[in-house]
Amino acid sequence: MGTTINELAKICGVSRTTVIRALHGEGRISDETKSLILQKAKELHYQPNLVARSLVSGKSMILGIVVPDLHNQYFPKIVDSVAKTVNAEGYLLNIMVHEDDKENEKRIIRDFIGHNVDGIIINPINKGADFEKMMDNLPVPHVVMSLDDLADGPCVGIDETAAGEAATEYMISKGYRNLLFVAPSLYDRDHQLNIGHHCRLEGFERAAGKAGVEYEILSVQEYAQQAVKRMKKKDHPAFLCSGAMFASEVMAALRDKGYKPVQDYGIMSFDQLDYYKNWSPRLAAVDNHPEQIGEEAGKLLVKMCRSEDTAERVVVPFQIVEGESL
Amino acid sequence: MGTTINELAKICGVSRTTVIRALHGEGRISDETKSLILQKAKELHYQPNLVARSLVSGKSMILGIVVPDLHNQYFPKIVDSVAKTVNAEGYLLNIMVHEDDKENEKRIIRDFIGHNVDGIIINPINKGADFEKMMDNLPVPHVVMSLDDLADGPCVGIDETAAGEAATEYMISKGYRNLLFVAPSLYDRDHQLNIGHHCRLEGFERAAGKAGVEYEILSVQEYAQQAVKRMKKKDHPAFLCSGAMFASEVMAALRDKGYKPVQDYGIMSFDQLDYYKNWSPRLAAVDNHPEQIGEEAGKLLVKMCRSEDTAERVVVPFQIVEGESL
DNA sequence: GTGAAAGCGCTAACAT
DNA sequence: ATGTTAGCGCTTTCAC
């Protein structure tokens, strides 16, 4: 345990209140006692007990963010960006991972509340009325990083459906007439719809339908092998992968069989990762701007923490990044 | 603010203590009152105020970890692994990023203490006696994720010098006789030595010296352009890059100039990233086992939080991963 | 200019 | 089997 205000008061021969006035630099206090207290405080390495402060104030100047994991680059980028944004506003960011465990996600939210975080950012894997009710009843503001999950509350994200559509149109414009949507993650382990990926698929189907081109959906776990098999048709297909890692796996599998991008097939992915920028050929992709999502989410949450503003819906633009893989 | 123990007590017509006994399920209490209280608690969505609990106990069941950022895959993997490990032991992990800002790092440590975290994991960017003293004086245990930074305390990491040496020997065994060590990050922005990278360099020099082969060090920010220039010597050099991203940049720069790996040069990197596993050619690398580092760090810290055990030094093995880039 | 007192929600030692 | 009391470290109101 470190030095406390009480100890400082005793040592300086003054009352708690006086110590506080010195520490906070406000209220009527003589320069003399003030500097004495400040000096002693420094001497004894006084550090305020933030827990006690939080108990009194009900606030903590901490914002919480829960994400599934930090495996791929998407969430790390978001989290990093949120941290930077809220730090600049005087908040600390408490980052937690739930490892794709729904109970864990709920537990973390409860823990956040129990620890008096001032607000929560989340991209929930929990679905359903019960969960929505739980979120609605939170005593602190929260921002959802998805436009389609908890539909009515404040949220920020890209329009996944539009992105799916735009990506598909881009592939079609490149001359591809046989499209495949690669998404082993359309459903989570509890067979519940993964809305983000589903919206992308919806956009894909819409664009493909509009253009009247053939399309298939590869939603199995063995999508890479399936992609290899699919090549036997020799119809120069194009794969739209709902995640950069999927694209990477597909390309690797096809390369192993001697198929070459552009020459034999086209491929494009969601998520634009730094790691791929030096790939050869460079992957065409939808950049979903994680840094911007993080920044907007952070800004929105801080704003909500300060004023009791209500719902706001921030649509972050996506961007088609041309590559050499189509 | 949610329901409190006091409110529950009032509602149930009992004292605080009785409510606590019901909630904690210990102490003498009649089944009748107990179930009444439990039922009311559920009804009113009672959630313990963890801040108050922490103020009383001085503990929080929260462990803190500070990392520079989450840009590359190294720290996300570590953090993920620490989280999994300590969660399994009943601890929550509070993740903070300092964005390569030394003051920020110190501030976060102080905040951790102020928030009663039970222990801290860190890979410090701060150096020097003052900082070491600060760390030594922490009221809670801490684990350093580097074998060479705060040398005397508990730590876990790989032997970077040995790794540098082994990697270099591997390159030499592949027939390369002109070696380059690529490390734009030997010093931080304050011109202080970045010990991890420096140890790798030391190992590199030692192995190169032993084998009597030529070597150079590329430590400038424009290492990629320098690598391109260096190719004019046409002596079939090999690059050992102290970070996967550096290798990626070098390969991209050389590819742009028409140089082909193995045929024209060899390349190898530290950090084995998922993202590169489908690269072509597959990059030879030193796998520094971030998951294992995270796991060991988590286990060690939990152990220290439980018993007042002293320093322990966990050396995590590294591994040379063969590739097609040499 | 300084201090006393109450209270945030919870825990634990000590009654009854 | 249940209640009383004191206290964790801090903030805030009100009094001197």
Side-chain angles (χ1 to χ4, degrees), chain B residues 78-91:
Chain B
I78 284 186
V79 163
D80 230 56
S81 171
V82 173
K84 232 178 275 183
T85 306
V86 305
N87 285 347
E89 299 287 341
Y91 286 90

Side-chain angles (χ1 to χ4, degrees), chain A residues 96-325:
Chain A
M96 298 268 194
V97 295
H98 57 59
E99 303 289 348
D100 274 311
D101 178 328
K102 288 179 179 157
E103 285 312 311
N104 221 355
E105 182 176 68
K106 287 193 277 189
R107 218 200 56 215
I108 290 172
I109 295 171
R110 279 192 289 261
D111 273 327
F112 274 156
I113 299 304
H115 282 292
N116 276 2
V117 299
D118 294 343
I120 293 177
I121 297 179
I122 188 171
N123 194 159
I125 57 170
N126 274 285
K127 319 280 171 198
D130 279 1
F131 183 69
E132 287 193 33
K133 204 172 128 199
M134 171 178 175
M135 293 308 286
D136 284 345
N137 288 335
L138 287 187
V140 296
H142 66 276
V143 170
V144 171
M145 293 186 301
S146 155
L147 256 29
D148 303 282
D149 269 281
L150 263 47
D152 41 346
C155 54
V156 4
I158 73 163
D159 183 338
E160 299 285 1
T161 314
E165 195 169 354
T168 309
E169 283 166 356
Y170 177 66
M171 295 195 304
I172 292 169
S173 79
K174 286 288 185 177
Y176 291 88
R177 289 294 173 270
N178 295 281
L179 308 182
L180 287 106
F181 188 79
V182 179
S185 43
L186 277 178
Y187 295 89
D188 67 21
R189 66 165 70 123
D190 302 322
H191 316 294
Q192 286 189 309
L193 207 56
N194 195 328
I195 298 185
H197 292 278
H198 190 77
C199 287
R200 293 172 179 176
L201 171 57
E202 220 174 284
F204 168 82
E205 288 181 317
R206 189 189 300 164
K210 249 192 252 175
V213 304
E214 298 281 325
Y215 68 86
E216 295 169 45
I217 298 157
L218 245 52
S219 59
V220 294
Q221 288 306 316
E222 308 75 27
Y223 60 90
Q225 295 97 299
Q226 290 292 324
V228 170
K229 274 193 195 165
R230 179 59 182 68
M231 291 303 289
K232 288 189 183 133
K233 278 204 184 174
K234 295 187 186 305
D235 57 359
H236 202 247
F239 300 89
L240 177 57
C241 302
S242 194
M245 198 49 108
F246 307 144
S248 167
E249 296 285 354
V250 168
M251 288 179 85
L254 295 183
R255 188 184 60 227
D256 285 350
K257 298 293 179 189
Y259 296 110
K260 295 203 189 325
V262 185
Q263 180 190 304
D264 302 315
Y265 70 97
I267 190 163
M268 181 166 184
S269 98
F270 284 83
D271 304 345
Q272 169 68 1
L273 304 184
D274 294 345
Y275 295 113
Y276 290 128
K277 76 171 201 280
N278 292 329
W279 259 69
S280 172
R282 205 147 37 76
L283 202 55
V286 177
D287 190 342
N288 44 18
H289 296 156
E291 300 90 343
Q292 206 176 331
I293 292 179
E295 188 185 333
E296 295 293 345
K299 284 202 298 198
L300 179 52
L301 186 58
V302 167
K303 191 171 153 193
M304 292 171 70
C305 288
R306 291 195 173 140
S307 58
E308 286 304 327
D309 246 9
T310 40
E312 196 167 324
R313 189 181 166 87
V314 181
V315 180
V316 171
F318 60 86
Q319 191 183 343
I320 302 290
V321 179
E322 312 210 348
E324 304 143 352
S325 63

Side-chain angles (χ1 to χ4, degrees), chain B residues 261-278:
Chain B
V262 183
Q263 181 189 306
D264 302 315
Y265 69 96
I267 190 163
M268 179 166 185
S269 98
F270 283 82
D271 304 345
Q272 168 68 2
L273 304 184
D274 294 345
Y275 295 113
Y276 290 128
K277 76 172 203 277
N278 292 329

